[in-house]
PDB file of all heavy atoms in Angstrom:
ATOM      1  N   GLU X 469     -80.434 -15.539 -69.283  1.00 47.00           N
ATOM      2  CA  GLU X 469     -79.524 -16.669 -69.220  1.00 47.00           C
ATOM      3  C   GLU X 469     -79.728 -17.556 -70.435  1.00 47.00           C
ATOM      4  O   GLU X 469     -80.858 -17.843 -70.839  1.00 47.00           O
ATOM      5  CB  GLU X 469     -79.775 -17.485 -67.949  1.00 47.00           C
ATOM      6  CG  GLU X 469     -79.442 -16.732 -66.676  1.00 47.00           C
ATOM      7  CD  GLU X 469     -77.960 -16.467 -66.553  1.00 47.00           C
ATOM      8  OE1 GLU X 469     -77.175 -17.118 -67.264  1.00 47.00           O
ATOM      9  OE2 GLU X 469     -77.596 -15.595 -65.761  1.00 47.00           O
ATOM     10  N   PRO X 470     -78.650 -18.012 -71.071  1.00 45.00           N
ATOM     11  CA  PRO X 470     -78.787 -18.909 -72.213  1.00 45.00           C
ATOM     12  C   PRO X 470     -79.377 -20.235 -71.778  1.00 45.00           C
ATOM     13  O   PRO X 470     -79.138 -20.709 -70.673  1.00 45.00           O
ATOM     14  CB  PRO X 470     -77.346 -19.073 -72.697  1.00 45.00           C
ATOM     15  CG  PRO X 470     -76.511 -18.760 -71.515  1.00 45.00           C
ATOM     16  CD  PRO X 470     -77.260 -17.726 -70.738  1.00 45.00           C
ATOM     17  N   GLN X 471     -80.164 -20.838 -72.661  1.00 47.00           N
ATOM     18  CA  GLN X 471     -80.813 -22.097 -72.358  1.00 47.00           C
ATOM     19  C   GLN X 471     -80.041 -23.247 -72.982  1.00 47.00           C
ATOM     20  O   GLN X 471     -79.216 -23.070 -73.862  1.00 47.00           O
ATOM     21  CB  GLN X 471     -82.254 -22.080 -72.897  1.00 47.00           C
ATOM     22  CG  GLN X 471     -83.092 -20.932 -72.349  1.00 47.00           C
ATOM     23  CD  GLN X 471     -83.284 -21.016 -70.853  1.00 47.00           C
ATOM     24  OE1 GLN X 471     -83.502 -22.097 -70.315  1.00 47.00           O
ATOM     25  NE2 GLN X 471     -83.203 -19.884 -70.175  1.00 47.00           N
ATOM     26  N   GLY X 472     -80.359 -24.450 -72.528  1.00 50.00           N
ATOM     27  CA  GLY X 472     -79.761 -25.633 -73.141  1.00 50.00           C
ATOM     28  C   GLY X 472     -78.477 -26.044 -72.455  1.00 50.00           C
ATOM     29  O   GLY X 472     -78.157 -25.617 -71.360  1.00 50.00           O
ATOM     30  N   ASP X 473     -77.719 -26.895 -73.156  1.00 54.00           N
ATOM     31  CA  ASP X 473     -76.522 -27.478 -72.580  1.00 54.00           C
ATOM     32  C   ASP X 473     -75.253 -26.746 -72.989  1.00 54.00           C
ATOM     33  O   ASP X 473     -74.158 -27.250 -72.798  1.00 54.00           O
ATOM     34  CB  ASP X 473     -76.404 -28.955 -73.005  1.00 54.00           C
ATOM     35  CG  ASP X 473     -77.583 -29.775 -72.499  1.00 54.00           C
ATOM     36  OD1 ASP X 473     -78.084 -29.453 -71.407  1.00 54.00           O
ATOM     37  OD2 ASP X 473     -77.995 -30.716 -73.204  1.00 54.00           O
ATOM     38  N   ILE X 474     -75.374 -25.570 -73.589  1.00 58.00           N
ATOM     39  CA  ILE X 474     -74.194 -24.832 -74.027  1.00 58.00           C
ATOM     40  C   ILE X 474     -73.445 -24.310 -72.810  1.00 58.00           C
ATOM     41  O   ILE X 474     -74.016 -23.655 -71.937  1.00 58.00           O
ATOM     42  CB  ILE X 474     -74.590 -23.663 -74.945  1.00 58.00           C
ATOM     43  CG1 ILE X 474     -75.274 -24.199 -76.196  1.00 58.00           C
ATOM     44  CG2 ILE X 474     -73.379 -22.830 -75.321  1.00 58.00           C
ATOM     45  CD1 ILE X 474     -75.777 -23.136 -77.133  1.00 58.00           C
ATOM     46  N   ALA X 475     -72.167 -24.605 -72.756  1.00 59.00           N
ATOM     47  CA  ALA X 475     -71.350 -24.195 -71.612  1.00 59.00           C
ATOM     48  C   ALA X 475     -70.530 -22.965 -71.974  1.00 59.00           C
ATOM     49  O   ALA X 475     -69.703 -23.018 -72.877  1.00 59.00           O
ATOM     50  CB  ALA X 475     -70.429 -25.336 -71.183  1.00 59.00           C
ATOM     51  N   PHE X 476     -70.747 -21.871 -71.269  1.00 59.00           N
ATOM     52  CA  PHE X 476     -69.978 -20.661 -71.497  1.00 59.00           C
ATOM     53  C   PHE X 476     -68.743 -20.664 -70.602  1.00 59.00           C
ATOM     54  O   PHE X 476     -68.790 -21.174 -69.478  1.00 59.00           O
ATOM     55  CB  PHE X 476     -70.820 -19.418 -71.190  1.00 59.00           C
ATOM     56  CG  PHE X 476     -71.802 -19.073 -72.267  1.00 59.00           C
ATOM     57  CD1 PHE X 476     -73.012 -19.741 -72.358  1.00 59.00           C
ATOM     58  CD2 PHE X 476     -71.513 -18.098 -73.200  1.00 59.00           C
ATOM     59  CE1 PHE X 476     -73.913 -19.436 -73.358  1.00 59.00           C
ATOM     60  CE2 PHE X 476     -72.410 -17.778 -74.198  1.00 59.00           C
ATOM     61  CZ  PHE X 476     -73.615 -18.446 -74.280  1.00 59.00           C
ATOM     62  N   PRO X 477     -67.655 -20.105 -71.078  1.00 63.00           N
ATOM     63  CA  PRO X 477     -66.453 -20.021 -70.222  1.00 63.00           C
ATOM     64  C   PRO X 477     -66.712 -19.108 -69.047  1.00 63.00           C
ATOM     65  O   PRO X 477     -67.423 -18.108 -69.160  1.00 63.00           O
ATOM     66  CB  PRO X 477     -65.393 -19.426 -71.169  1.00 63.00           C
ATOM     67  CG  PRO X 477     -66.175 -18.695 -72.197  1.00 63.00           C
ATOM     68  CD  PRO X 477     -67.440 -19.485 -72.396  1.00 63.00           C
ATOM     69  N   GLU X 478     -66.165 -19.469 -67.888  1.00 61.00           N
ATOM     70  CA  GLU X 478     -66.335 -18.637 -66.703  1.00 61.00           C
ATOM     71  C   GLU X 478     -65.278 -17.544 -66.688  1.00 61.00           C
ATOM     72  O   GLU X 478     -64.111 -17.788 -66.928  1.00 61.00           O
ATOM     73  CB  GLU X 478     -66.217 -19.495 -65.437  1.00 61.00           C
ATOM     74  CG  GLU X 478     -67.344 -20.506 -65.298  1.00 61.00           C
ATOM     75  CD  GLU X 478     -67.271 -21.222 -63.966  1.00 61.00           C
ATOM     76  OE1 GLU X 478     -66.618 -20.695 -63.054  1.00 61.00           O
ATOM     77  OE2 GLU X 478     -67.854 -22.295 -63.843  1.00 61.00           O
ATOM     78  N   MET X 479     -65.721 -16.324 -66.385  1.00 61.00           N
ATOM     79  CA  MET X 479     -64.804 -15.196 -66.285  1.00 61.00           C
ATOM     80  C   MET X 479     -65.087 -14.470 -64.984  1.00 61.00           C
ATOM     81  O   MET X 479     -66.240 -14.254 -64.615  1.00 61.00           O
ATOM     82  CB  MET X 479     -64.962 -14.249 -67.484  1.00 61.00           C
ATOM     83  CG  MET X 479     -64.502 -14.848 -68.799  1.00 61.00           C
ATOM     84  SD  MET X 479     -64.609 -13.713 -70.182  1.00 61.00           S
ATOM     85  CE  MET X 479     -66.374 -13.650 -70.432  1.00 61.00           C
ATOM     86  N   ASP X 480     -64.033 -14.131 -64.272  1.00 53.00           N
ATOM     87  CA  ASP X 480     -64.149 -13.456 -62.990  1.00 53.00           C
ATOM     88  C   ASP X 480     -64.195 -11.955 -63.248  1.00 53.00           C
ATOM     89  O   ASP X 480     -63.169 -11.295 -63.331  1.00 53.00           O
ATOM     90  CB  ASP X 480     -62.948 -13.834 -62.115  1.00 53.00           C
ATOM     91  CG  ASP X 480     -63.061 -13.246 -60.718  1.00 53.00           C
ATOM     92  OD1 ASP X 480     -64.170 -12.833 -60.351  1.00 53.00           O
ATOM     93  OD2 ASP X 480     -62.043 -13.212 -60.014  1.00 53.00           O
ATOM     94  N   TRP X 481     -65.408 -11.397 -63.370  1.00 40.00           N
ATOM     95  CA  TRP X 481     -65.564  -9.993 -63.741  1.00 40.00           C
ATOM     96  C   TRP X 481     -65.539  -9.104 -62.508  1.00 40.00           C
ATOM     97  O   TRP X 481     -66.009  -9.474 -61.450  1.00 40.00           O
ATOM     98  CB  TRP X 481     -66.895  -9.777 -64.453  1.00 40.00           C
ATOM     99  CG  TRP X 481     -66.956 -10.376 -65.797  1.00 40.00           C
ATOM    100  CD1 TRP X 481     -67.298 -11.659 -66.108  1.00 40.00           C
ATOM    101  CD2 TRP X 481     -66.660  -9.736 -67.031  1.00 40.00           C
ATOM    102  NE1 TRP X 481     -67.237 -11.847 -67.470  1.00 40.00           N
ATOM    103  CE2 TRP X 481     -66.861 -10.689 -68.050  1.00 40.00           C
ATOM    104  CE3 TRP X 481     -66.253  -8.444 -67.371  1.00 40.00           C
ATOM    105  CZ2 TRP X 481     -66.656 -10.387 -69.391  1.00 40.00           C
ATOM    106  CZ3 TRP X 481     -66.057  -8.144 -68.704  1.00 40.00           C
ATOM    107  CH2 TRP X 481     -66.260  -9.107 -69.695  1.00 40.00           C
ATOM    108  N   LYS X 482     -65.015  -7.893 -62.684  1.00 46.00           N
ATOM    109  CA  LYS X 482     -65.126  -6.849 -61.662  1.00 46.00           C
ATOM    110  C   LYS X 482     -66.079  -5.799 -62.206  1.00 46.00           C
ATOM    111  O   LYS X 482     -65.862  -5.248 -63.270  1.00 46.00           O
ATOM    112  CB  LYS X 482     -63.758  -6.227 -61.362  1.00 46.00           C
ATOM    113  CG  LYS X 482     -62.868  -7.120 -60.532  1.00 46.00           C
ATOM    114  CD  LYS X 482     -61.649  -6.357 -60.086  1.00 46.00           C
ATOM    115  CE  LYS X 482     -60.806  -7.212 -59.143  1.00 46.00           C
ATOM    116  NZ  LYS X 482     -59.623  -6.487 -58.670  1.00 46.00           N
ATOM    117  N   ALA X 483     -67.115  -5.503 -61.459  1.00 33.00           N
ATOM    118  CA  ALA X 483     -68.175  -4.639 -61.957  1.00 33.00           C
ATOM    119  C   ALA X 483     -67.693  -3.239 -62.289  1.00 33.00           C
ATOM    120  O   ALA X 483     -68.185  -2.603 -63.206  1.00 33.00           O
ATOM    121  CB  ALA X 483     -69.305  -4.573 -60.928  1.00 33.00           C
ATOM    122  N   GLU X 484     -66.676  -2.747 -61.549  1.00 37.00           N
ATOM    123  CA  GLU X 484     -66.292  -1.353 -61.743  1.00 37.00           C
ATOM    124  C   GLU X 484     -65.620  -1.089 -63.071  1.00 37.00           C
ATOM    125  O   GLU X 484     -65.712  -0.004 -63.623  1.00 37.00           O
ATOM    126  CB  GLU X 484     -65.375  -0.875 -60.609  1.00 37.00           C
ATOM    127  CG  GLU X 484     -64.033  -1.576 -60.528  1.00 37.00           C
ATOM    128  CD  GLU X 484     -64.067  -2.804 -59.666  1.00 37.00           C
ATOM    129  OE1 GLU X 484     -65.175  -3.300 -59.406  1.00 37.00           O
ATOM    130  OE2 GLU X 484     -63.003  -3.261 -59.233  1.00 37.00           O
ATOM    131  N   ASP X 485     -64.943  -2.066 -63.643  1.00 45.00           N
ATOM    132  CA  ASP X 485     -64.297  -1.801 -64.927  1.00 45.00           C
ATOM    133  C   ASP X 485     -64.538  -2.922 -65.943  1.00 45.00           C
ATOM    134  O   ASP X 485     -63.958  -2.913 -67.011  1.00 45.00           O
ATOM    135  CB  ASP X 485     -62.794  -1.578 -64.750  1.00 45.00           C
ATOM    136  CG  ASP X 485     -62.083  -2.795 -64.196  1.00 45.00           C
ATOM    137  OD1 ASP X 485     -62.730  -3.814 -63.933  1.00 45.00           O
ATOM    138  OD2 ASP X 485     -60.855  -2.709 -64.026  1.00 45.00           O
ATOM    139  N   HIS X 486     -65.398  -3.874 -65.589  1.00 42.00           N
ATOM    140  CA  HIS X 486     -65.731  -4.967 -66.492  1.00 42.00           C
ATOM    141  C   HIS X 486     -64.494  -5.754 -66.899  1.00 42.00           C
ATOM    142  O   HIS X 486     -64.454  -6.344 -67.963  1.00 42.00           O
ATOM    143  CB  HIS X 486     -66.432  -4.441 -67.757  1.00 42.00           C
ATOM    144  CG  HIS X 486     -67.791  -3.893 -67.486  1.00 42.00           C
ATOM    145  ND1 HIS X 486     -68.527  -3.251 -68.429  1.00 42.00           N
ATOM    146  CD2 HIS X 486     -68.536  -3.878 -66.364  1.00 42.00           C
ATOM    147  CE1 HIS X 486     -69.677  -2.861 -67.919  1.00 42.00           C
ATOM    148  NE2 HIS X 486     -69.690  -3.232 -66.664  1.00 42.00           N
ATOM    149  N   SER X 487     -63.472  -5.771 -66.068  1.00 43.00           N
ATOM    150  CA  SER X 487     -62.287  -6.551 -66.394  1.00 43.00           C
ATOM    151  C   SER X 487     -62.411  -7.930 -65.765  1.00 43.00           C
ATOM    152  O   SER X 487     -63.186  -8.144 -64.849  1.00 43.00           O
ATOM    153  CB  SER X 487     -61.031  -5.846 -65.883  1.00 43.00           C
ATOM    154  OG  SER X 487     -61.091  -5.672 -64.488  1.00 43.00           O
ATOM    155  N   TRP X 488     -61.646  -8.840 -66.276  1.00 45.00           N
ATOM    156  CA  TRP X 488     -61.741 -10.196 -65.769  1.00 45.00           C
ATOM    157  C   TRP X 488     -60.379 -10.860 -65.817  1.00 45.00           C
ATOM    158  O   TRP X 488     -59.466 -10.406 -66.458  1.00 45.00           O
ATOM    159  CB  TRP X 488     -62.739 -11.024 -66.581  1.00 45.00           C
ATOM    160  CG  TRP X 488     -62.214 -11.417 -67.922  1.00 45.00           C
ATOM    161  CD1 TRP X 488     -61.490 -12.523 -68.243  1.00 45.00           C
ATOM    162  CD2 TRP X 488     -62.342 -10.670 -69.135  1.00 45.00           C
ATOM    163  NE1 TRP X 488     -61.175 -12.519 -69.570  1.00 45.00           N
ATOM    164  CE2 TRP X 488     -61.671 -11.405 -70.134  1.00 45.00           C
ATOM    165  CE3 TRP X 488     -62.955  -9.457 -69.441  1.00 45.00           C
ATOM    166  CZ2 TRP X 488     -61.614 -10.954 -71.438  1.00 45.00           C
ATOM    167  CZ3 TRP X 488     -62.892  -9.014 -70.750  1.00 45.00           C
ATOM    168  CH2 TRP X 488     -62.231  -9.758 -71.723  1.00 45.00           C
ATOM    169  N   ARG X 489     -60.288 -11.950 -65.125  1.00 43.00           N
ATOM    170  CA  ARG X 489     -59.110 -12.808 -65.216  1.00 43.00           C
ATOM    171  C   ARG X 489     -59.610 -14.224 -65.363  1.00 43.00           C
ATOM    172  O   ARG X 489     -60.447 -14.676 -64.591  1.00 43.00           O
ATOM    173  CB  ARG X 489     -58.257 -12.685 -63.949  1.00 43.00           C
ATOM    174  CG  ARG X 489     -56.981 -13.529 -63.986  1.00 43.00           C
ATOM    175  CD  ARG X 489     -56.115 -13.217 -62.775  1.00 43.00           C
ATOM    176  NE  ARG X 489     -56.778 -13.616 -61.547  1.00 43.00           N
ATOM    177  CZ  ARG X 489     -56.735 -14.828 -61.033  1.00 43.00           C
ATOM    178  NH1 ARG X 489     -56.066 -15.777 -61.654  1.00 43.00           N
ATOM    179  NH2 ARG X 489     -57.360 -15.109 -59.920  1.00 43.00           N
ATOM    180  N   ALA X 490     -59.159 -14.908 -66.367  1.00 41.00           N
ATOM    181  CA  ALA X 490     -59.597 -16.280 -66.594  1.00 41.00           C
ATOM    182  C   ALA X 490     -59.281 -17.110 -65.368  1.00 41.00           C
ATOM    183  O   ALA X 490     -58.189 -17.035 -64.809  1.00 41.00           O
ATOM    184  CB  ALA X 490     -58.902 -16.861 -67.827  1.00 41.00           C
ATOM    185  N   LYS X 491     -60.235 -17.892 -64.903  1.00 42.00           N
ATOM    186  CA  LYS X 491     -60.037 -18.689 -63.701  1.00 42.00           C
ATOM    187  C   LYS X 491     -59.000 -19.771 -63.956  1.00 42.00           C
ATOM    188  O   LYS X 491     -59.055 -20.477 -64.956  1.00 42.00           O
ATOM    189  CB  LYS X 491     -61.365 -19.313 -63.264  1.00 42.00           C
ATOM    190  CG  LYS X 491     -62.360 -18.267 -62.767  1.00 42.00           C
ATOM    191  CD  LYS X 491     -63.583 -18.923 -62.188  1.00 42.00           C
ATOM    192  CE  LYS X 491     -64.535 -17.877 -61.607  1.00 42.00           C
ATOM    193  NZ  LYS X 491     -65.740 -18.489 -61.024  1.00 42.00           N
ATOM    194  N   GLU X 492     -58.080 -19.910 -63.021  1.00 42.00           N
ATOM    195  CA  GLU X 492     -57.010 -20.883 -63.161  1.00 42.00           C
ATOM    196  C   GLU X 492     -57.376 -22.148 -62.415  1.00 42.00           C
ATOM    197  O   GLU X 492     -57.972 -22.112 -61.346  1.00 42.00           O
ATOM    198  CB  GLU X 492     -55.702 -20.319 -62.606  1.00 42.00           C
ATOM    199  CG  GLU X 492     -55.267 -19.042 -63.322  1.00 42.00           C
ATOM    200  CD  GLU X 492     -54.075 -18.410 -62.624  1.00 42.00           C
ATOM    201  OE1 GLU X 492     -53.711 -18.919 -61.544  1.00 42.00           O
ATOM    202  OE2 GLU X 492     -53.543 -17.428 -63.150  1.00 42.00           O
ATOM    203  N   SER X 493     -56.990 -23.259 -62.972  1.00 41.00           N
ATOM    204  CA  SER X 493     -57.270 -24.532 -62.311  1.00 41.00           C
ATOM    205  C   SER X 493     -56.275 -24.759 -61.188  1.00 41.00           C
ATOM    206  O   SER X 493     -55.194 -24.193 -61.166  1.00 41.00           O
ATOM    207  CB  SER X 493     -57.173 -25.678 -63.332  1.00 41.00           C
ATOM    208  OG  SER X 493     -55.836 -25.822 -63.763  1.00 41.00           O
ATOM    209  N   GLU X 494     -56.671 -25.609 -60.241  1.00 41.00           N
ATOM    210  CA  GLU X 494     -55.772 -25.924 -59.130  1.00 41.00           C
ATOM    211  C   GLU X 494     -54.515 -26.609 -59.644  1.00 41.00           C
ATOM    212  O   GLU X 494     -53.427 -26.428 -59.110  1.00 41.00           O
ATOM    213  CB  GLU X 494     -56.497 -26.822 -58.128  1.00 41.00           C
ATOM    214  CG  GLU X 494     -57.643 -26.109 -57.413  1.00 41.00           C
ATOM    215  CD  GLU X 494     -58.293 -27.019 -56.404  1.00 41.00           C
ATOM    216  OE1 GLU X 494     -57.795 -28.159 -56.246  1.00 41.00           O
ATOM    217  OE2 GLU X 494     -59.274 -26.610 -55.759  1.00 41.00           O
ATOM    218  N   GLU X 495     -54.676 -27.373 -60.712  1.00 45.00           N
ATOM    219  CA  GLU X 495     -53.516 -28.067 -61.278  1.00 45.00           C
ATOM    220  C   GLU X 495     -52.500 -27.060 -61.796  1.00 45.00           C
ATOM    221  O   GLU X 495     -51.303 -27.205 -61.608  1.00 45.00           O
ATOM    222  CB  GLU X 495     -53.974 -28.989 -62.411  1.00 45.00           C
ATOM    223  CG  GLU X 495     -52.833 -29.751 -63.071  1.00 45.00           C
ATOM    224  CD  GLU X 495     -53.310 -30.634 -64.194  1.00 45.00           C
ATOM    225  OE1 GLU X 495     -54.535 -30.792 -64.354  1.00 45.00           O
ATOM    226  OE2 GLU X 495     -52.444 -31.184 -64.907  1.00 45.00           O
ATOM    227  N   ASP X 496     -52.987 -25.988 -62.442  1.00 47.00           N
ATOM    228  CA  ASP X 496     -52.090 -24.964 -62.958  1.00 47.00           C
ATOM    229  C   ASP X 496     -51.397 -24.223 -61.826  1.00 47.00           C
ATOM    230  O   ASP X 496     -50.249 -23.831 -61.931  1.00 47.00           O
ATOM    231  CB  ASP X 496     -52.869 -23.964 -63.823  1.00 47.00           C
ATOM    232  CG  ASP X 496     -53.317 -24.591 -65.131  1.00 47.00           C
ATOM    233  OD1 ASP X 496     -52.694 -25.591 -65.521  1.00 47.00           O
ATOM    234  OD2 ASP X 496     -54.277 -24.085 -65.732  1.00 47.00           O
ATOM    235  N   ASP X 497     -52.133 -24.010 -60.701  1.00 51.00           N
ATOM    236  CA  ASP X 497     -51.554 -23.296 -59.572  1.00 51.00           C
ATOM    237  C   ASP X 497     -50.381 -24.053 -58.968  1.00 51.00           C
ATOM    238  O   ASP X 497     -49.429 -23.465 -58.478  1.00 51.00           O
ATOM    239  CB  ASP X 497     -52.620 -23.061 -58.487  1.00 51.00           C
ATOM    240  CG  ASP X 497     -53.679 -22.068 -58.976  1.00 51.00           C
ATOM    241  OD1 ASP X 497     -53.381 -21.299 -59.900  1.00 51.00           O
ATOM    242  OD2 ASP X 497     -54.797 -22.091 -58.420  1.00 51.00           O
ATOM    243  N   ASP X 498     -50.461 -25.393 -58.982  1.00 55.00           N
ATOM    244  CA  ASP X 498     -49.438 -26.195 -58.333  1.00 55.00           C
ATOM    245  C   ASP X 498     -48.266 -26.522 -59.248  1.00 55.00           C
ATOM    246  O   ASP X 498     -47.242 -27.010 -58.788  1.00 55.00           O
ATOM    247  CB  ASP X 498     -50.054 -27.521 -57.836  1.00 55.00           C
ATOM    248  CG  ASP X 498     -51.090 -27.269 -56.752  1.00 55.00           C
ATOM    249  OD1 ASP X 498     -50.978 -26.224 -56.091  1.00 55.00           O
ATOM    250  OD2 ASP X 498     -51.985 -28.116 -56.589  1.00 55.00           O
ATOM    251  N   ARG X 499     -48.419 -26.264 -60.539  1.00 49.00           N
ATOM    252  CA  ARG X 499     -47.374 -26.643 -61.469  1.00 49.00           C
ATOM    253  C   ARG X 499     -46.204 -25.679 -61.377  1.00 49.00           C
ATOM    254  O   ARG X 499     -46.367 -24.470 -61.518  1.00 49.00           O
ATOM    255  CB  ARG X 499     -47.926 -26.646 -62.901  1.00 49.00           C
ATOM    256  CG  ARG X 499     -46.932 -27.166 -63.922  1.00 49.00           C
ATOM    257  CD  ARG X 499     -47.518 -27.113 -65.313  1.00 49.00           C
ATOM    258  NE  ARG X 499     -48.738 -27.905 -65.372  1.00 49.00           N
ATOM    259  CZ  ARG X 499     -49.890 -27.430 -65.819  1.00 49.00           C
ATOM    260  NH1 ARG X 499     -49.996 -26.192 -66.226  1.00 49.00           N
ATOM    261  NH2 ARG X 499     -50.955 -28.206 -65.851  1.00 49.00           N
ATOM    262  N   PRO X 500     -44.977 -26.139 -61.113  1.00 50.00           N
ATOM    263  CA  PRO X 500     -43.824 -25.244 -61.014  1.00 50.00           C
ATOM    264  C   PRO X 500     -43.464 -24.655 -62.370  1.00 50.00           C
ATOM    265  O   PRO X 500     -43.617 -25.296 -63.394  1.00 50.00           O
ATOM    266  CB  PRO X 500     -42.703 -26.160 -60.499  1.00 50.00           C
ATOM    267  CG  PRO X 500     -43.104 -27.529 -60.949  1.00 50.00           C
ATOM    268  CD  PRO X 500     -44.612 -27.555 -60.900  1.00 50.00           C
ATOM    269  N   THR X 501     -43.035 -23.401 -62.374  1.00 47.00           N
ATOM    270  CA  THR X 501     -42.604 -22.733 -63.599  1.00 47.00           C
ATOM    271  C   THR X 501     -41.204 -22.184 -63.394  1.00 47.00           C
ATOM    272  O   THR X 501     -40.704 -22.101 -62.276  1.00 47.00           O
ATOM    273  CB  THR X 501     -43.543 -21.581 -63.973  1.00 47.00           C
ATOM    274  OG1 THR X 501     -43.492 -20.599 -62.932  1.00 47.00           O
ATOM    275  CG2 THR X 501     -44.977 -22.060 -64.140  1.00 47.00           C
ATOM    276  N   PHE X 502     -40.590 -21.793 -64.506  1.00 38.00           N
ATOM    277  CA  PHE X 502     -39.233 -21.254 -64.434  1.00 38.00           C
ATOM    278  C   PHE X 502     -39.181 -20.024 -63.534  1.00 38.00           C
ATOM    279  O   PHE X 502     -38.229 -19.826 -62.784  1.00 38.00           O
ATOM    280  CB  PHE X 502     -38.764 -20.892 -65.846  1.00 38.00           C
ATOM    281  CG  PHE X 502     -37.406 -20.232 -65.888  1.00 38.00           C
ATOM    282  CD1 PHE X 502     -36.259 -20.969 -65.688  1.00 38.00           C
ATOM    283  CD2 PHE X 502     -37.290 -18.879 -66.118  1.00 38.00           C
ATOM    284  CE1 PHE X 502     -35.012 -20.377 -65.716  1.00 38.00           C
ATOM    285  CE2 PHE X 502     -36.054 -18.264 -66.147  1.00 38.00           C
ATOM    286  CZ  PHE X 502     -34.908 -19.021 -65.950  1.00 38.00           C
ATOM    287  N   GLU X 503     -40.257 -19.196 -63.605  1.00 49.00           N
ATOM    288  CA  GLU X 503     -40.259 -17.970 -62.817  1.00 49.00           C
ATOM    289  C   GLU X 503     -40.221 -18.225 -61.319  1.00 49.00           C
ATOM    290  O   GLU X 503     -39.832 -17.358 -60.548  1.00 49.00           O
ATOM    291  CB  GLU X 503     -41.498 -17.134 -63.166  1.00 49.00           C
ATOM    292  CG  GLU X 503     -41.423 -16.460 -64.527  1.00 49.00           C
ATOM    293  CD  GLU X 503     -41.744 -17.418 -65.667  1.00 49.00           C
ATOM    294  OE1 GLU X 503     -42.141 -18.574 -65.374  1.00 49.00           O
ATOM    295  OE2 GLU X 503     -41.582 -17.015 -66.836  1.00 49.00           O
ATOM    296  N   ASN X 504     -40.663 -19.411 -60.889  1.00 48.00           N
ATOM    297  CA  ASN X 504     -40.666 -19.709 -59.465  1.00 48.00           C
ATOM    298  C   ASN X 504     -39.265 -19.742 -58.871  1.00 48.00           C
ATOM    299  O   ASN X 504     -39.102 -19.634 -57.652  1.00 48.00           O
ATOM    300  CB  ASN X 504     -41.345 -21.064 -59.190  1.00 48.00           C
ATOM    301  CG  ASN X 504     -42.823 -21.028 -59.496  1.00 48.00           C
ATOM    302  OD1 ASN X 504     -43.346 -21.939 -60.112  1.00 48.00           O
ATOM    303  ND2 ASN X 504     -43.502 -19.970 -59.080  1.00 48.00           N
ATOM    304  N   PHE X 505     -38.258 -19.891 -59.705  1.00 44.00           N
ATOM    305  CA  PHE X 505     -36.895 -19.989 -59.208  1.00 44.00           C
ATOM    306  C   PHE X 505     -36.133 -18.675 -59.353  1.00 44.00           C
ATOM    307  O   PHE X 505     -34.946 -18.614 -59.072  1.00 44.00           O
ATOM    308  CB  PHE X 505     -36.152 -21.106 -59.964  1.00 44.00           C
ATOM    309  CG  PHE X 505     -36.803 -22.445 -59.812  1.00 44.00           C
ATOM    310  CD1 PHE X 505     -37.664 -22.933 -60.786  1.00 44.00           C
ATOM    311  CD2 PHE X 505     -36.578 -23.231 -58.686  1.00 44.00           C
ATOM    312  CE1 PHE X 505     -38.276 -24.166 -60.654  1.00 44.00           C
ATOM    313  CE2 PHE X 505     -37.182 -24.463 -58.548  1.00 44.00           C
ATOM    314  CZ  PHE X 505     -38.037 -24.935 -59.529  1.00 44.00           C
ATOM    315  N   LEU X 506     -36.815 -17.612 -59.802  1.00 47.00           N
ATOM    316  CA  LEU X 506     -36.176 -16.320 -59.983  1.00 47.00           C
ATOM    317  C   LEU X 506     -36.430 -15.430 -58.777  1.00 47.00           C
ATOM    318  O   LEU X 506     -37.492 -15.461 -58.176  1.00 47.00           O
ATOM    319  CB  LEU X 506     -36.719 -15.621 -61.238  1.00 47.00           C
ATOM    320  CG  LEU X 506     -36.512 -16.356 -62.562  1.00 47.00           C
ATOM    321  CD1 LEU X 506     -37.117 -15.542 -63.696  1.00 47.00           C
ATOM    322  CD2 LEU X 506     -35.034 -16.583 -62.838  1.00 47.00           C
ATOM    323  N   THR X 507     -35.449 -14.627 -58.413  1.00 51.00           N
ATOM    324  CA  THR X 507     -35.615 -13.666 -57.326  1.00 51.00           C
ATOM    325  C   THR X 507     -35.642 -12.247 -57.866  1.00 51.00           C
ATOM    326  O   THR X 507     -35.955 -11.324 -57.140  1.00 51.00           O
ATOM    327  CB  THR X 507     -34.466 -13.790 -56.309  1.00 51.00           C
ATOM    328  OG1 THR X 507     -33.220 -13.610 -56.991  1.00 51.00           O
ATOM    329  CG2 THR X 507     -34.486 -15.154 -55.639  1.00 51.00           C
TER     330      THR X 507
END
């Protein structure tokens, strides 16, 4: 583990393929987008 006050970005990794998705903030989840109105 790195020492000190350096903050690393959090990534949601899956062990089987080492893939990740950047964690989204709650504010981003609630923000309406154009796609929300498309069917």
Side-chain angles (χ1 to χ4, degrees):
E469 294 293 343
Q471 303 297 319
D473 298 327
I474 298 177
F476 283 81
E478 294 186 20
M479 292 183 287
D480 184 16
W481 290 86
K482 285 190 175 181
E484 64 271 18
D485 62 359
H486 292 173
S487 59
W488 74 88
R489 182 173 65 85
K491 292 187 176 180
E492 300 172 354
S493 67
E494 293 182 3
E495 180 181 351
D496 290 338
D497 292 338
D498 295 335
R499 186 181 301 127
T501 63
F502 176 74
E503 287 79 6
N504 293 135
F505 301 97
L506 300 179
T507 57

